[in-house]
Amino acid sequence: MTDNVPMTDSVPTTNDVHSHSMTIKRSVEEVYQLAERDGFALLDIAIDEDRLKRTLDNDSCGAFVCFEGRVRNHNNATSVDRLTYYGYDDLAINQGRAIIEQAKQRFEITHAIAIHRIGALEIGDVAVWVGVVSAHRYPAFDACRWILDTIKADIPVWKQEYYENDSSKWLSNNG
Amino acid sequence: MTDNVPMTDSVPTTNDVHSHSMTIKRSVEEVYQLAERDGFALLDIAIDEDRLKRTLDNDSCGAFVCFEGRVRNHNNATSVDRLTYYGYDDLAINQGRAIIEQAKQRFEITHAIAIHRIGALEIGDVAVWVGVVSAHRYPAFDACRWILDTIKADIPVWKQEYYENDSSKWLSNNG
Amino acid sequence: MSVMSGIESESDSGSIMNITVLYFASLADEANCQQETVSVSASTSLADLYQHLSQKHGFSHSQSELRVAINDYFAKWSDQIQDGDSVVFISPVSGG
Amino acid sequence: MSVMSGIESESDSGSIMNITVLYFASLADEANCQQETVSVSASTSLADLYQHLSQKHGFSHSQSELRVAINDYFAKWSDQIQDGDSVVFISPVSGG
């Protein structure tokens, strides 16, 4: 640790401390184009699973595996009313691109796409979608699970759950 | 081996030796009801994946994993034009029911549904669909893969591939 | 092993079983039929039945390559068949 | 370790870096802002920067619980920051 230390700070520019992480800057069309090109994007509205699936269609692929992570009505024993996901979009898409690139190197797959939703979600809403196509089935299963695990570990998205008694909590996948 | 041996045989009743295994007797509605109740059915038209997914919707489930097996345009190095699946429906649904029951015992899942299509399929058509919902993600992945593997090993469905030169071949998953 | 084809035995109805045999896939091609009814001596084994039909139709699969189903459920080769049973010899499957 | 807050150093523009710090999740709650610009001595380390901001805002996370990103890519805590960089301290994530 050096002697070079912080000196002066500016004042906060807004009081709504989470608004920047509940919406994304690009249009929905741009999100799906990004997902198709790089394999990963954040989205702040409902995920169009059929569109993502169509994007993955490929006559050389005999296997399609997908995962949908949906908002549960409970977490352990606690009843969940709703929750909000917050995302750091610019880092998320850089890290997501790297995850999909790495998946294509590690597994014999043709293509993979994942989208994570941010903002306020209701019970049953899809929070994350991962789809993989490959010639054979095992690489699709393995890659889909690996991509999901890696998203959960590395993508800068945070979940705040709201409970029946109006309390809320920041969650951690590693806690 | 005993001395009790076959004695007399009847004559064949038809010359179309595969027609009984290219279509099913029950209606489409009955197929989806059977799939919802027992978790498995054969179907002789395009599989309605969205309907199966809706059937699996459950607010207590955070994870949905599905597999779609599609007709590839090649098998190893050989170009495939189309193929036909033949099924022994009555045995298939008995065995399918047992597979789904066993999956629910082996894995922490809420429900699972699988449908195998029979008849003439084109490149890209979905031949088999397996969907699983569970509270947590790993049991859904594990069960989906296990159900698929077990269907491929045990469900009496046979695939005949047709090639560009008009030849065809019976395939075996274990050959 | 001898394979008998004795119409005379049919008069002894207590020792005769009528078995429906369904064919699928390559067995249907080779038998050139979807199903047939076979009258066999009581307590004919599944192995005997397959050997008889195999000689009749020239099946290319040996018994060891096949599974067998009785009345729409998988069975063991050692299971007994009864009069009126439906039997299917299952060649290697290729679904999925 | 000392934390200095010396406006007088700003006249030496060569030794000053302006760093934009963005906040997310619980860090945003604790900082009560989305982002701020921090002027620090040249070659200030990421660890020094976090310690300063942690004392200022009373962050509940220790540095060992956090990852750090520079200019929208994950970085190592040992990476150097430059004038104009954007820095984000990443509290434990919970996507999926």
Side-chain angles (χ1 to χ4, degrees), chain A:
Chain A
M1 198 169 275
T2 73
D3 286 335
N4 299 294
V5 291
M7 291 168 60
T8 59
D9 308 326
S10 70
V11 291
T13 54
T14 171
N15 283 324
D16 185 352
V17 301
H18 298 300
S19 62
H20 66 317
S21 57
M22 290 182 67
T23 58
I24 53 169
K25 287 166 279 183
R26 59 185 64 78
S27 72
V28 174
E29 274 308 309
E30 289 169 328
V31 165
Y32 284 98
Q33 284 166 16
L34 180 65
E36 178 166 8
R37 193 191 71 190
D38 288 354
F40 186 86
L42 295 190
L43 181 62
D44 52 7
I45 60 169
I47 296 170
D48 184 345
E49 300 128 33
D50 289 338
R51 178 170 184 171
L52 294 173
K53 209 167 97 169
R54 282 196 306 275
T55 303
L56 284 171
D57 271 348
N58 186 316
D59 282 350
S60 72
C61 295
F64 166 75
V65 171
C66 88
F67 174 89
E68 291 181 16
R70 300 173 181 168
V71 178
R72 275 201 312 271
N73 58 11
H74 66 282
N75 191 0
N76 300 321
T78 311
S79 176
V80 176
D81 262 12
R82 60 193 172 84
L83 55 71
T84 303
Y85 283 98
Y86 304 89
Y88 171 11
D89 190 29
D90 291 328
L91 174 59
I93 63 177
N94 285 333
Q95 189 66 20
R97 186 191 316 116
I99 290 171
I100 299 298
E101 278 173 7
Q102 208 181 333
K104 289 182 177 177
Q105 289 169 356
R106 292 172 72 111
F107 305 98
E108 289 284 326
I109 62 174
T110 305
H111 198 25
I113 294 181
I115 283 197
H116 203 301
R117 184 172 169 190
I118 59 172
L121 274 71
E122 306 288 327
I123 305 299
D125 281 349
V126 174
V128 61
W129 190 95
V130 182
V132 180
V133 287
S134 58
H136 300 287
R137 66 194 189 281
Y138 291 139
F141 276 110
D142 291 340
C144 189
R145 182 194 291 229
W146 183 87
I147 290 168
L148 176 65
D149 284 349
T150 310
I151 285 172
K152 288 174 79 85
D154 289 346
I155 291 292
V157 166
W158 296 267
K159 178 163 58 179
Q160 194 173 29
E161 283 184 354
Y162 296 86
Y163 310 106
E164 281 181 345
N165 61 1
D166 279 345
S167 68
S168 69
K169 192 163 70 174
W170 289 105
L171 301 174
S172 163
N173 286 336
N174 302 312

Side-chain angles (χ1 to χ4, degrees), chain B residues 61-80:
Chain B
C61 295
F64 165 74
V65 170
C66 87
F67 174 87
E68 290 182 16
R70 301 172 182 171
V71 178
R72 274 201 311 270
N73 59 11
H74 67 282
N75 190 0
N76 299 323
T78 312
S79 175
V80 176

Side-chain angles (χ1 to χ4, degrees), chain B:
Chain B
M1 198 168 276
T2 74
D3 286 334
N4 299 295
V5 292
M7 292 170 61
T8 59
D9 307 326
S10 70
V11 292
T13 54
T14 172
N15 283 322
D16 185 351
V17 301
H18 298 300
S19 62
H20 66 317
S21 57
M22 289 182 68
T23 58
I24 52 169
K25 287 165 279 183
R26 60 185 64 78
S27 71
V28 174
E29 272 308 308
E30 288 169 328
V31 165
Y32 283 99
Q33 283 166 16
L34 181 65
E36 178 166 8
R37 194 192 69 190
D38 288 355
F40 186 84
L42 295 190
L43 180 63
D44 53 7
I45 60 169
I47 297 170
D48 185 344
E49 302 127 33
D50 288 339
R51 178 171 181 169
L52 294 173
K53 209 168 99 169
R54 282 196 305 275
T55 302
L56 285 171
D57 270 349
N58 187 315
D59 282 352
S60 72
C61 295
F64 165 74
V65 170
C66 87
F67 174 87
E68 290 182 16
R70 301 172 182 171
V71 178
R72 274 201 311 270
N73 59 11
H74 67 282
N75 190 0
N76 299 323
T78 312
S79 175
V80 176
D81 264 13
R82 60 193 172 86
L83 55 71
T84 303
Y85 283 99
Y86 304 90
Y88 171 10
D89 191 29
D90 290 328
L91 175 58
I93 62 176
N94 285 333
Q95 189 66 20
R97 185 191 317 117
I99 290 171
I100 300 299
E101 278 173 8
Q102 208 181 334
K104 288 182 178 177
Q105 288 168 357
R106 292 171 71 110
F107 305 98
E108 289 284 328
I109 62 174
T110 305
H111 197 25
I113 293 181
I115 282 197
H116 203 301
R117 185 173 168 189
I118 60 172
L121 273 71
E122 306 288 327
I123 305 299
D125 282 349
V126 174
V128 60
W129 191 94
V130 181
V132 180
V133 287
S134 58
H136 299 287
R137 66 194 190 279
Y138 291 139
F141 276 110
D142 291 340
C144 188
R145 181 194 291 227
W146 183 87
I147 290 168
L148 176 65
D149 284 349
T150 310
I151 285 173
K152 289 174 79 86
D154 289 346
I155 291 292
V157 166
W158 296 269
K159 177 163 59 179
Q160 194 172 30
E161 282 184 354
Y162 296 87
Y163 310 106
E164 281 181 346
N165 62 0
D166 279 346
S167 67
S168 69
K169 193 165 67 174
W170 290 104
L171 302 175
S172 163
N173 285 338
N174 303 313

